[in-house]
Amino acid sequence: MNWINSIEKDFLNKNSKLVYYKKGDVIFNEGYVCDKIGYIEKGEVSIVTSTYTEKEETITYLKSNDTFGDILLFSSNNLYLGNAICEKDCIIRFFTKNNLEVLFKDSIILNNFLKEVVNLQKLVTTNIERCLKKENKLLKHKNIRDRIMHYLYEESLNLQSNTIEFNSVISFSKILSIPRPTLSKELSKLKDEKLINITKRGQRCFITLLK
């Protein structure tokens, strides 16, 4: 059960604020300071960011009874990691630190909150570890060709498509930690060997795995 659901309604209303949003509204932007906790009473919210390949990627999808800002609010690095966009009309209940100070005088509310934050922290840690393992696995490939093909195969599986799109060869080189001229040379070799196909539209680069 969400820790907020254990709070008596009148007490809850006195120590929080309801804000109404329309579909498409932005609740917060990436890089902004988190100064309150949000609880979704109604609606759905997506948290999105731009990846290192400059594509928009959904970090998480929140629905009614979910919260955001629980960990960030009390963190020394309390900047939002993405943009929160309403996928439907939303009603969000916000709690400032002052609100929480009043609510947490009730030990039951405080204990319920701490239990939930611990579970959230474990989930965040697991996701971070998964990302680090993926990056480490990529960088373990010292051979340039192996690194390129490993990344393309992994992305192909994730996207369920043989074609991977990049904003530019430069952005691809940054992902692989390979100098752009070196990457371009190896991509040309792979194309000549008919392992990949490369097409460009302006700066954008599309690489298709052929084998």
Side-chain angles (χ1 to χ4, degrees):
M1 181 177 70
N2 190 291
W3 65 274
I4 296 167
N5 294 333
S6 65
I7 305 173
E8 193 273 327
K9 197 68 175 179
D10 287 340
F11 189 41
L12 179 65
N13 288 334
K14 288 178 183 177
N15 293 285
S16 62
K17 179 182 178 180
L18 285 177
V19 180
Y20 296 81
Y21 294 92
K22 294 291 185 181
K23 179 181 178 179
D25 284 351
V26 176
I27 300 172
F28 58 76
N29 287 302
E30 184 170 353
Y32 280 35
V33 173
C34 174
D35 58 0
K36 49 188 170 289
I37 290 174
Y39 169 67
I40 304 174
E41 293 217 341
K42 178 184 177 183
E44 295 175 2
V45 176
S46 59
I47 311 296
V48 301
T49 187
S50 294
T51 67
Y52 46 74
T53 59
E54 300 175 28
K55 293 181 182 178
E56 188 175 272
E57 184 173 281
T58 300
I59 299 174
T60 189
Y61 196 81
L62 305 174
K63 56 187 184 304
S64 296
N65 210 40
D66 285 338
T67 58
F68 54 85
D70 311 57
I71 298 174
L72 276 180
L73 182 62
F74 300 100
S75 171
S76 57
N77 183 18
N78 60 339
L79 301 180
Y80 287 116
L81 303 179
N83 307 309
I85 301 171
C86 296
E87 298 295 335
K88 297 181 177 180
D89 291 353
C90 292
I91 302 174
I92 312 293
R93 185 180 294 275
F94 288 104
F95 301 86
T96 64
K97 282 188 176 180
N98 288 337
N99 294 146
L100 295 173
E101 285 179 7
V102 175
L103 293 171
F104 290 165
K105 289 178 180 178
D106 184 319
S107 60
I108 295 176
I109 296 174
L110 176 59
N111 286 334
N112 288 338
F113 173 79
L114 292 175
K115 287 178 183 177
E116 191 160 318
V117 167
V118 168
N119 290 332
L120 284 171
Q121 186 64 59
K122 288 179 180 177
L123 180 61
V124 169
T125 301
T126 300
N127 288 337
I128 290 173
E129 288 175 348
R130 187 181 298 118
C131 290
L132 289 174
K133 285 178 181 177
K134 182 178 179 181
E135 182 177 359
N136 288 338
K137 189 175 181 181
L138 175 66
L139 297 179
K140 279 181 180 179
H141 291 277
K142 302 302 181 185
N143 180 281
I144 293 173
R145 173 172 293 212
D146 289 344
R147 189 179 298 184
I148 293 171
M149 296 306 291
H150 170 80
Y151 180 83
L152 293 175
Y153 278 124
E154 288 290 318
E155 283 298 290
S156 176
L157 290 173
N158 291 335
L159 298 172
Q160 296 185 334
S161 170
N162 287 339
T163 300
I164 299 94
E165 177 184 351
F166 302 94
N167 274 7
S168 65
V169 174
I170 293 176
S171 66
F172 190 20
S173 70
K174 289 179 180 178
I175 296 169
L176 300 178
S177 297
I178 297 173
R180 187 198 59 76
T182 304
L183 174 62
S184 295
K185 184 177 180 180
E186 192 61 39
L187 288 174
S188 293
K189 289 181 182 178
L190 291 167
K191 183 178 180 181
D192 291 341
E193 295 172 24
K194 294 182 170 43
L195 293 173
I196 63 172
N197 187 42
I198 304 171
T199 56
K200 291 186 177 180
R201 297 175 193 163
Q203 289 292 319
R204 304 188 79 79
C205 177
F206 300 82
I207 300 177
T208 301
L209 287 167
L210 301 178
K211 293 184 179 180

